[in-house]
């Protein structure tokens, strides 16, 4: 299994440009999520999905869109990039358990985005 | 809003000693807590988790303690090794949701 993969690893954008960060997992996980991590800070949840066709907002959703057309893929779209979106972006996935067991999230390697 | 925080931003310990990393949380509705380890340039890696119906859980060289009375979470690492050097995050999840809130992290430095 490849686990959680993210592309690209690095990206530089100009203010106002749009782009899509790709995330894929091959573990048949129902739950997928996107986080951003700014220097010296913890991760902040942008959007998440509990299954194909279902998405919801996290803590910092503004400026980002997501969709979940398949179980495997969960792309994150930046509509009009701003310097404030310069960050490292992590995608994660896990099983969705209602009780018991571990809801361990598996994280991808991250995408380092710079907006000029 | 509700948040998860850490008391110490940096912890230095001698190799072989035990490490204790602390975390305070403020949301009494949180029912699931996780510790992650993040090495430089990598994504977070799951270490151990605990649900609110427990107060202690042990793994290999790690123990998580949960004190719901004072809303405190701790991670104990036994016989700390150089490979344990990393940033450690605690995270909480509110009951009935899939929204995780992460703390700001503690950097653990293992001294030879």
């Amino acid at each position: 299994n490849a686990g959680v993969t993210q592309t690209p690893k690095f990206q530089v954008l100009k203010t106002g440009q749009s782009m899509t960060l790709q995330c894929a997992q091959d573990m048949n996980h129902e739950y997928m999520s996107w986080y951003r991590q700014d220097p010296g800070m913890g991760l902040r949840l942008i959007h998440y999905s509990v299954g194909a066709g279902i998405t919801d907002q996290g803590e910092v959703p503004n400026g980002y869109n997501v969709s979940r057309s398949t179980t495997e893929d969960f792309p994150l779209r930046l509509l009009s990039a701003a310097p404030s979106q310069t960050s490292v972006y992590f995608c994660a996935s896990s099983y969705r358990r209602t009780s018991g067991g571990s809801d361990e999230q598996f994280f991808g390697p991250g995408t380092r985005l710079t907006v000029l | 809003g509700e948040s998860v925080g850490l008391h110490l931003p940096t912890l230095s310990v001698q190799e072989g000693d035990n490490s204790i990393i602390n975390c305070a949380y403020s949301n009494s509705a949180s029912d699931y807590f996780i510790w992650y380890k993040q090495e430089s340039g990598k994504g977070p890696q799951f270490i151990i988790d605990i649900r609110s119906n427990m107060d202690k859980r042990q793994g290999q060289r790690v123990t998580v303690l949960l004190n719901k009375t004072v809303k405190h979470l701790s991670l104990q690492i036994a016989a700390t090794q150089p490979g344990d050097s990393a940033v450690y995050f605690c995270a909480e999840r509110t009951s009935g949701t899939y929204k995780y809130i992460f703390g700001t992290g503690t950097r653990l430095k293992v001294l030879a």
Side-chain angles (χ1 to χ4, degrees), chain B residues 6 18 20 28-29 31-32 57 66 93:
Chain B
L6 295 175
N18 296 336
I20 299 176
S28 57
D31 67 348
Y32 182 61
R57 190 153 188 247
L66 175 63
R93 188 181 73 190

Side-chain angles (χ1 to χ4, degrees), chain B:
Chain B
E2 302 286 358
S3 64
V4 176
L6 295 175
H7 298 305
L8 300 174
T10 302
L11 176 66
S12 297
V13 297
Q14 291 290 332
E15 181 179 355
D17 287 352
N18 296 336
S19 303
I20 299 176
I21 301 172
N22 296 303
C23 176
Y25 67 95
S26 57
N27 186 355
S28 57
S30 293
D31 67 348
Y32 182 61
F33 304 88
I34 316 103
W35 281 101
Y36 289 93
K37 173 185 180 182
Q38 186 176 29
E39 297 175 311
S40 181
K42 297 184 179 180
Q45 180 182 6
F46 174 92
I47 302 173
I48 192 167
D49 59 359
I50 189 168
R51 296 189 183 272
S52 59
N53 60 353
M54 303 174 68
D55 52 22
K56 180 180 180 179
R57 190 153 188 247
Q58 290 183 293
Q60 187 176 10
R61 281 202 307 119
V62 295
T63 300
V64 56
L65 300 178
L66 175 63
N67 185 330
K68 295 180 287 293
T69 302
V70 295
K71 298 187 182 68
H72 185 267
L73 191 69
S74 69
L75 176 69
Q76 300 178 0
I77 304 174
T80 311
Q81 302 170 358
D84 295 326
S85 292
V87 177
Y88 290 80
F89 294 97
C90 63
E92 63 170 318
R93 188 181 73 190
T94 303
S95 177
T97 77
Y98 287 89
K99 294 184 177 182
Y100 292 84
I101 298 175
F102 281 70
T104 53
T106 292
R107 181 174 300 280
L108 177 65
K109 292 184 178 180
V110 182
L111 308 174

Side-chain angles (χ1 to χ4, degrees), chain A residues 23-102:
Chain A
C23 175
Q25 53 91 11
D26 60 359
M27 296 172 282
N28 202 31
H29 286 163
E30 301 97 333
Y31 180 82
M32 296 186 75
S33 55
W34 276 102
Y35 295 88
R36 61 177 289 174
Q37 184 175 31
D38 299 310
M41 296 182 65
L43 283 75
R44 290 184 292 170
L45 182 64
I46 304 172
H47 285 285
Y48 66 97
S49 169
V50 297
I54 305 169
T55 63
D56 206 346
Q57 295 181 349
E59 184 182 356
V60 288
N62 292 341
Y64 308 94
N65 272 358
V66 292
S67 59
R68 184 95 179 270
S69 56
T70 67
T71 300
E72 295 78 19
D73 300 299
F74 191 44
L76 178 72
R77 281 181 287 277
L78 279 71
L79 308 174
S80 178
S84 62
Q85 294 179 303
T86 294
S87 189
V88 180
Y89 291 83
F90 289 100
C91 179
S93 73
S94 72
Y95 289 113
R96 181 165 64 104
R97 304 184 195 277
T98 55
S99 64
S102 172

